[in-house]
C-alpha cells in the first residue's frame, strides 16, 4: 500500500521533460516576440517622422508648381503631386498609402496613384479636424479615423492616420492642402514583412533551421489591426489581452494561446504613431 502511494507521487521522467520543454518553448517564443518588437519600434517611429518632416516641404513645393485653379486640369495636378513627393526624400521613401490634394472645401481633387478612390470625396466629412490645415498660419495637422476610400483592405475593420499641411501659392494664398497617411492594416503589413526578414536574418546568423511564425498588430481604442491576411481570430485574441492596461507602466511581455498554438507576446505604447496606439508582436515556434 505504501509503495503504491509513493508511486503516485513520482512524476514520470517523460512528463517532466515535456513540461520543461513547454516552459522553455514559451520563453523562446516570448523572447522572439520581444526581439522583433525591439527591432520594429525605431523603424515605426522613423516612418512617422519621415512624414512629419517631409510633408511641410512637399506642400511648399506643390504650391510652387500647382496651377492657379488646381481642379481645372486634373492630369497636371496628379503630375504635380508626384513631382512634389519625388523632390522630397522623406516623402519619396515614406510608407504612406496615399498622397492627395484636397481643395479649400475639403474635397479630394486628385491623388498620386490610380485607381483614385478618393477623387471627389470629402475628406473633412471623415476627418473634420483637418480643416485647421486650411488656415494660412497652420502647420502640420494630424487626425485618426475611418474613411472607406482610405482602407488598406477590402473587408474587415481598418482605420487610418492622416496628416495634412496647407498648400499656398506664391502670394501666400491657401489653395488647398497636401494630405497623406496610411491605413493601419497596410502599415502593419509593412512592419510584419520587416519582422519576418529580421527573424530570417537572425536564423541565418545563429544557424537555426526553423524560423518562428510572426504576426504584427497596431492596437488602438481596443481594436487590433493586423496585415490583410491575418486571421481574425488572432486579432481578436490580441484584443482580449487588454494591452492598454498591460502597457501602462512600460513594455509588456507574456504568452497567449490561439487555436491550440502558443505564442509569445510583446507590446509597447507608440506615442509617435498617435497617443493611445500600441505596437504588438506575437510569435510562435514552428
Amino acid at each position: 500500500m505504501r509503495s503504491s502511494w509513493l508511486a503516485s507521487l513520482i512524476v514520470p521522467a517523460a512528463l517532466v521533460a515535456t513540461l520543461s520543454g513547454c516552459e522553455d518553448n514559451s520563453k523562446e517564443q516570448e523572447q522572439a516576440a520581444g526581439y522583433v518588437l525591439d527591432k520594429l519600434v525605431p523603424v515605426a517611429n522613423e516612418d512617422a517622422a519621415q512624414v512629419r518632416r517631409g510633408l511641410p516641404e512637399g506642400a511648399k513645393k506643390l504650391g510652387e508648381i500647382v496651377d492657379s485653379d488646381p481642379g481645372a486640369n486634373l492630369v497636371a495636378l496628379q503630375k504635380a503631386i508626384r513631382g512634389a513627393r519625388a523632390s522630397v526624400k522623406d516623402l519619396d521613401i515614406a510608407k504612406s498609402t496615399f498622397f492627395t490634394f484636397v481643395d479649400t472645401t475639403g474635397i479630394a481633387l486628385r491623388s498620386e496613384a490610380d485607381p483614385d478612390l478618393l477623387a471627389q470625396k470629402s475628406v473633412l466629412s471623415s476627418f473634420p479636424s483637418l480643416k485647421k490645415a486650411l488656415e494660412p498660419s497652420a502647420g502640420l495637422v494630424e487626425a485618426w479615423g475611418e474613411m472607406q476610400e482610405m482602407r488598406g483592405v477590402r473587408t474587415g475593420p481598418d482605420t487610418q492616420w492622416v496628416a495634412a499641411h496647407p498648400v499656398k501659392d506664391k502670394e501666400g494664398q491657401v489653395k488647398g492642402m497636401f494630405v497623406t497617411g496610411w491605413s493601419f492594416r497596410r502599415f502593419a503589413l509593412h512592419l510584419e514583412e520587416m519582422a519576418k526578414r529580421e527573424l530570417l536574418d537572425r536564423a541565418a546568423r545563429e544557424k537555426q533551421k526553423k524560423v518562428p511564425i510572426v504576426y504584427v498588430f497596431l492596437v488602438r481604442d481596443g481594436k487590433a489591426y493586423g496585415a490583410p491576411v491575418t486571421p481574425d481570430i488572432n486579432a481578436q485574441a490580441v484584443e482580449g489581452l487588454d494591452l492598454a492596461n498591460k502597457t501602462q507602466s512600460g513594455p509588456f511581455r507574456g504568452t497567449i494561446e490561439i487555436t491550440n498554438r502558443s505564442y509569445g507576446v510583446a507590446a509597447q505604447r507608440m506615442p509617435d504613431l498617435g497617443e493611445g496606439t500600441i505596437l504588438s508582436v506575437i510569435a510562435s515556434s514552428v
Side-chain angles (χ1 to χ4, degrees):
M1 187 73 173
R2 184 180 178 185
S3 61
S4 175
W5 176 76
L6 287 173
S8 69
L9 297 180
I10 299 174
V11 180
L15 179 57
V16 172
T18 300
L19 292 173
S20 177
C22 288
E23 184 177 349
D24 291 344
N25 199 42
S26 295
K27 289 181 179 178
E28 289 177 3
Q29 292 177 154
E30 188 177 323
Q31 289 170 356
Y35 171 81
V36 170
L37 182 66
D38 289 343
K39 293 290 185 180
L40 293 184
V41 166
V43 171
N45 285 339
E46 175 58 18
D47 287 337
Q50 286 169 354
V51 174
R52 293 188 177 108
R53 288 194 305 258
L55 195 59
E57 186 179 353
K60 180 180 178 181
K61 291 184 179 296
L62 185 56
E64 294 170 351
I65 57 178
V66 74
D67 292 341
S68 57
D69 181 2
N73 187 337
L74 296 181
V75 173
L77 178 58
Q78 184 182 46
K79 184 177 179 180
I81 293 170
R82 288 174 175 169
R85 180 192 177 186
S87 65
V88 180
K89 182 179 179 181
D90 278 323
L91 295 186
D92 192 38
I93 62 176
K95 306 309 180 293
S96 298
T97 49
F98 53 89
F99 282 90
T100 303
F101 180 86
V102 176
D103 70 13
T104 54
T105 69
I107 299 297
L109 295 184
R110 197 66 174 90
S111 299
E112 176 193 42
D114 290 311
D116 187 0
L117 301 179
L118 276 170
Q120 301 307 309
K121 300 294 191 303
S122 172
V123 173
L124 295 184
S125 63
S126 296
F127 304 93
S129 62
L130 292 185
K131 188 175 181 179
K132 295 178 182 177
L134 292 171
E135 298 174 3
S137 60
L140 188 75
V141 179
E142 302 178 41
W144 289 261
E146 298 179 41
M147 185 171 181
Q148 180 69 22
E149 292 76 16
M150 292 181 181
R151 293 174 58 84
V153 293
R154 292 184 178 180
T155 59
D158 202 355
T159 194
Q160 296 87 36
W161 169 61
V162 182
H165 194 282
V167 175
K168 305 176 188 177
D169 60 19
K170 295 178 181 179
E171 284 71 42
Q173 182 180 357
V174 175
K175 308 300 292 184
M177 53 184 170
F178 200 10
V179 177
T180 189
W182 51 57
S183 144
F184 269 35
R185 294 190 69 173
R186 293 296 297 181
F187 191 60
L189 174 62
H190 152 64
L191 294 176
E192 188 169 291
E193 289 174 343
M194 293 203 67
K196 291 176 180 177
R197 288 197 294 271
E198 287 288 349
L199 288 173
L200 283 169
D201 290 345
R202 188 179 74 159
R205 288 195 307 270
E206 299 180 2
K207 297 182 174 18
Q208 297 173 345
K209 293 183 179 180
K210 296 182 179 180
V211 180
I213 298 170
V214 63
Y215 294 96
V216 176
F217 299 89
L218 290 172
V219 181
R220 186 174 176 85
D221 296 331
K223 296 292 294 182
Y225 303 94
V229 296
T230 300
D232 290 342
I233 194 170
N234 290 16
Q236 292 164 4
V238 171
E239 290 170 0
L241 289 172
D242 191 15
L243 292 176
N245 283 325
K246 285 185 169 66
T247 58
Q248 275 187 342
S249 58
F252 168 76
R253 301 288 187 271
T255 59
I256 188 175
E257 185 171 306
I258 307 172
T259 59
N260 298 319
R261 175 185 283 275
S262 65
Y263 290 84
V265 183
Q268 181 173 325
R269 294 193 175 201
M270 298 289 291
D272 283 5
L273 300 183
E275 194 63 37
T277 302
I278 299 166
L279 180 58
S280 180
V281 175
I282 63 173
S284 180
S285 301
V286 177

